[in-house]
Amino acid sequence: MSAASPSPIIERGTTTSRIAAIAVVIIIALLATAPQFLSAGAVDRMTALFIYVILAAMWNALAGFGGLVSVGQQVFFGLGAYFAIRLADAGLNPFASLFVSAVIVGIVSWPLSLFMLRLRNGEFAIGMWVIAALTHLLVNLDRLVQGETGTSLISLNVYDTGTRRTVIYWLALASMTALLAILFGLLRGSTGAAIRAIRDNEDAAASVGVRVTGTKRLLFVLAAFGIGIAGALWLATSITFQPKTYFNVQWTAYMIFMVLVGGIGTFEGAILGALVFFLIETWFGGTGVWYLVGLGATAVLFSLFLPRGLWGTIEERFGLHLLPVGYRVRFPGNPTTALDGDAPLPRQTTQHQEKA
């Protein structure tokens, strides 16, 4: 009689992930004190990095975890900046207007989701791009904006340059930290399991009681809110607002690039992808059109040879999970084989390896 097969081991947190969590807290604390030691230019660049992390994490949440691929997320980036301009012009403190504008973007995204989430796959992706283009045209009609001439967040000029730079840095760091924490907590709970179930098979998820529409709407609004904050913070760093810049599809292209390179559907991948994009931009951003050509070529190469991105490949080969949001099923005697709740399941797989 053959021996009974050993039971699989279900794990989430590991010693490595606990050490990583402590390291994250230390890194954030160090970043909070960084303006005292960094040059003005370095502070501005770090602020840009925090914004890139927000953009990558929000698009990854929507597409990587939720399966909602959009090429029109620049609509929320642009609206975040636009509403900040409008609120500041109405007399609200410019720093407060950055976050109030993001709240308004989140509110606006809710009725938008009522009909956009009826679309699937390519229809949803193109539909979001159409919404972004229409919104761009509507914003141009605002007399305050003056069409493509644009306007400025002039109320920030009452603060001296050093104070303004430091405050914006801290606001960007706090926003990035808060949004990543909210997303991490959401994905680790039952809602996160529902989100990934919908991504893997929407009909199957609905058949076992998952509230498909409500869950997708929650993710849609969260992504809009986060990208709205990113747009408002970018406005604060640049002061000027031109609709053609903020509603440009290049912002979504950057999001897609960061997520594809870092690892779509992995929490750490979006952060790593944002860092890679930041370094490429820092080193090669001054090369003009060749910089954009290089970004496109890099994205194509990763799609062909590293389809799971940098972090996805590291997870696959070494089983390393620093910030796990799903459960892993490990089989004794074959420690390299595991089904991980963070990554999309193969199309032919019908099992779902996570607990709601």
Side-chain angles (χ1 to χ4, degrees):
M1 184 174 67
S2 61
S5 303
S7 300
I9 300 172
I10 300 176
E11 37 180 50
R12 170 178 275 183
T14 63
T15 300
T16 302
S17 66
R18 286 187 282 272
I19 293 173
I22 296 172
V24 167
V25 174
I26 295 173
I27 291 171
I28 292 173
L30 292 175
L31 288 173
T33 63
Q36 302 177 36
F37 311 103
L38 297 178
S39 65
V43 170
D44 287 339
R45 292 304 299 149
M46 291 301 296
T47 303
L49 173 60
F50 300 153
I51 295 173
Y52 291 154
V53 171
I54 293 173
L55 292 174
M58 294 299 101
W59 196 87
N60 188 44
L62 190 69
F65 288 102
L68 296 168
V69 177
S70 168
V71 292
Q73 293 305 98
Q74 68 271 16
V75 63
F76 304 122
F77 188 84
L79 285 177
Y82 169 69
F83 286 132
I85 287 283
R86 262 291 167 197
L87 291 167
D89 183 70
L92 186 65
N93 177 278
F95 291 119
S97 70
L98 303 180
F99 292 94
V100 176
S101 69
V103 173
I104 295 175
V105 171
I107 293 173
V108 168
S109 71
W110 189 86
L112 179 63
S113 71
L114 294 179
F115 59 91
M116 288 307 302
L117 292 179
R118 296 177 182 271
L119 306 177
R120 290 196 180 188
N121 304 323
E123 293 177 345
F124 175 80
I126 300 303
M128 287 301 302
W129 179 82
V130 172
I131 292 295
L134 290 175
T135 305
H136 178 191
L137 294 176
L138 290 174
V139 168
N140 276 349
L141 297 177
D142 190 335
R143 293 184 178 179
L144 175 65
V145 176
Q146 305 177 66
E148 295 298 356
T149 302
T151 185
S152 301
L153 191 62
I154 55 176
S155 55
L156 274 181
N157 291 332
V158 301
Y159 301 92
D160 68 86
T161 304
T163 299
R164 184 174 68 212
R165 177 178 289 110
T166 302
V167 171
I168 294 171
Y169 173 94
W170 281 333
L171 290 177
L173 175 61
S175 299
M176 178 192 71
T177 303
L179 286 168
L180 289 178
I182 291 170
L183 182 60
F184 186 73
L186 182 69
L187 292 174
R188 280 178 68 90
S190 58
T191 302
I195 288 171
R196 292 187 290 278
I198 294 169
R199 172 198 64 192
D200 294 335
N201 192 317
E202 185 172 317
D203 294 331
S207 70
V208 296
V210 173
R211 296 178 60 251
V212 172
T213 302
T215 303
K216 289 166 66 175
R217 182 168 295 122
L218 172 64
L219 196 59
F220 185 87
V221 172
L222 174 62
F225 171 75
I227 294 173
I229 287 181
L233 288 169
W234 193 268
L235 170 69
T237 63
S238 63
I239 301 298
T240 59
F241 174 78
Q242 291 180 303
K244 65 181 178 182
T245 298
Y246 285 82
F247 288 95
N248 196 314
V249 72
Q250 75 175 16
W251 289 106
T252 298
Y254 291 162
M255 298 179 213
I256 295 172
F257 175 86
M258 291 185 282
V259 173
L260 287 180
V261 169
I264 189 168
T266 62
F267 189 84
E268 303 92 333
I271 301 172
L272 179 59
L275 180 59
V276 170
F277 175 75
F278 170 77
L279 293 175
I280 293 175
E281 183 188 57
T282 301
W283 293 335
F284 305 108
T287 59
V289 68
W290 289 107
Y291 159 67
L292 298 176
V293 172
L295 286 180
T298 302
V300 170
L301 290 174
F302 268 85
S303 298
L304 291 174
F305 301 107
L306 289 176
R308 292 203 61 196
L310 290 173
W311 191 257
T313 302
I314 291 172
E315 283 189 342
E316 189 174 40
R317 293 184 180 179
F318 304 104
L320 182 62
H321 295 260
L322 297 183
L323 299 170
V325 295
Y327 295 99
R328 298 178 68 241
V329 180
R330 181 167 59 83
F331 300 95
N334 190 7
T336 60
T337 302
L339 291 177
D340 183 5
D342 295 351
L345 292 175
R347 287 296 178 184
Q348 68 270 24
T349 302
T350 56
Q351 291 179 321
H352 190 67
Q353 298 295 331
E354 296 173 313
K355 293 181 179 179

